Amino acid sequence: MQKILSKLRKACEEYNLIENGDRIAVGLSGGKDSLTLLTALKKYQSFCEKKFELVAIAVDLTNGKNNFSQLQKYCDELEVKLVVIPSNVFEIVFDIRKEKNPCSLCANLRRGILNSSAKNLGCNKVALGHHKDDLIETFILSLFFEGRLSTFKPKSYLSRMAITVIRPLIYCDEQDILKISQSYPVLSNNCPANKHTQREDAKLLLDTLNKKYLNCKEKIFNAIIHKERYNLFDKI
């Protein structure tokens, strides 16, 4: 956890992710990433000079079929309020729309519910558990499937919602998160598309490239975050 905390602190300070008086909603899916984020932020709260509040929000994509009792117990231990929001996202994505590539629609619906719920709870920020590997995979997905150079940012202001989205784990490697998440009450992934998505393809491709070319993923990450490494021509 010390390694995660160090990188979380670095991200928070470099991108000014957390400010005095913030009330932060942590998107808690029950996966290893979001549980690590919640745990790390709670520990960071204990020594951070800036004072902020935390609340956890879990969006139930199955409209009441998921069991969140273990997450509730864990949040109680952390002394963080957990709010579970029921939704019919899976029904819309898989039964009604029958999406062949469901991740984008699912993510948009889920984030919309999360953001509006955060506003209703008086939060001014939403924290998501995206880590370094997610950033690189999103870049590859945008390049190969959209034909553009794009990925998410550590901090984004959503003007329509008047809420700021932060990603404090942006410097953290997935392998480090995996190691420390063994003791967390991680929920099983019940998504019908699990392991059969374009993101999974991107992950496998990056793993292959990283084995063949030393530190390939780290170099892609550095190319993304260091502006002086950009070398793209401007439009004439």
Side-chain angles (χ1 to χ4, degrees):
M1 175 54 74
Q2 192 58 42
K3 191 173 183 180
I4 296 293
L5 272 175
S6 176
K7 292 185 176 182
L8 179 143
R9 183 176 188 173
K10 177 183 177 182
C12 287
E13 292 178 352
E14 287 193 1
Y15 297 105
N16 195 29
L17 301 184
I18 295 178
E19 301 165 280
N20 269 319
D22 279 347
R23 181 170 168 81
I24 303 172
V26 180
L28 192 64
S29 67
K32 62 177 177 28
D33 303 332
S34 63
L35 280 164
T36 298
L37 173 63
L38 179 64
T39 306
L41 281 175
K42 183 62 180 179
K43 290 182 181 296
Y44 184 55
Q45 186 184 44
S46 66
F47 64 83
C48 181
E49 293 181 357
K50 298 175 181 178
K51 303 305 177 185
F52 60 94
E53 299 178 56
L54 292 172
V55 58
I57 300 179
V59 179
D60 183 359
L61 307 177
T62 64
N63 205 18
K65 295 179 182 178
N66 268 344
N67 183 354
F68 290 95
S69 59
Q70 290 302 309
L71 285 188
Q72 182 64 68
K73 181 181 178 182
Y74 187 69
C75 287
D76 290 343
E77 292 172 359
L78 291 178
E79 298 183 340
V80 174
K81 179 181 180 181
L82 172 64
V83 179
V84 178
I85 308 296
S87 77
N88 60 343
V89 169
F90 274 4
E91 180 184 1
I92 294 173
V93 173
F94 294 105
D95 299 334
I96 298 174
R97 294 283 295 269
K98 301 183 187 303
E99 291 285 326
K100 292 182 179 179
N101 297 305
C103 295
S104 179
L105 177 59
C106 181
N108 288 336
L109 293 173
R110 186 175 67 249
R111 282 197 289 266
I113 296 169
L114 174 61
N115 292 339
S116 60
S117 300
K119 286 293 292 184
N120 291 338
L121 290 168
C123 299
N124 65 311
K125 288 181 179 174
V126 169
L128 302 179
H130 295 133
H131 46 67
K132 181 193 289 187
D133 294 71
D134 290 325
L135 180 84
I136 300 169
E137 289 161 16
T138 301
F139 176 79
I140 293 297
L141 285 169
S142 295
L143 178 62
F144 286 0
F145 294 102
E146 299 175 3
R148 65 191 183 112
L149 300 174
S150 177
T151 190
F152 52 76
K153 298 179 180 179
K155 183 178 183 180
S156 301
Y157 180 68
L158 308 180
S159 57
R160 288 191 300 174
M161 296 292 298
I163 203 162
T164 300
V165 175
I166 60 174
R167 296 176 170 90
L169 298 183
I170 199 75
Y171 287 129
C172 298
D173 294 283
E174 185 173 23
Q175 281 301 313
D176 292 331
I177 292 173
L178 187 61
K179 289 177 184 176
I180 69 167
S181 63
Q182 303 301 317
S183 61
Y184 301 154
V186 176
L187 299 183
S188 59
N189 190 333
N190 57 2
C191 174
N194 186 34
K195 301 297 183 181
H196 301 284
T197 64
Q198 291 177 344
R199 180 169 292 276
E200 186 66 21
D201 292 340
K203 183 185 293 289
L204 293 173
L205 172 62
L206 284 165
D207 286 343
T208 301
L209 289 173
N210 208 49
K211 290 175 183 177
K212 186 173 183 179
Y213 304 107
L214 186 63
N215 294 326
C216 172
K217 287 169 65 173
E218 190 68 24
K219 289 173 182 175
I220 295 174
F221 178 73
N222 288 333
I224 294 171
I225 66 171
H226 294 299
K227 292 184 179 180
E228 64 269 20
R229 299 195 178 189
Y230 294 175
N231 190 24
L232 302 176
F233 62 83
D234 296 324
K235 290 183 178 179
I236 299 176

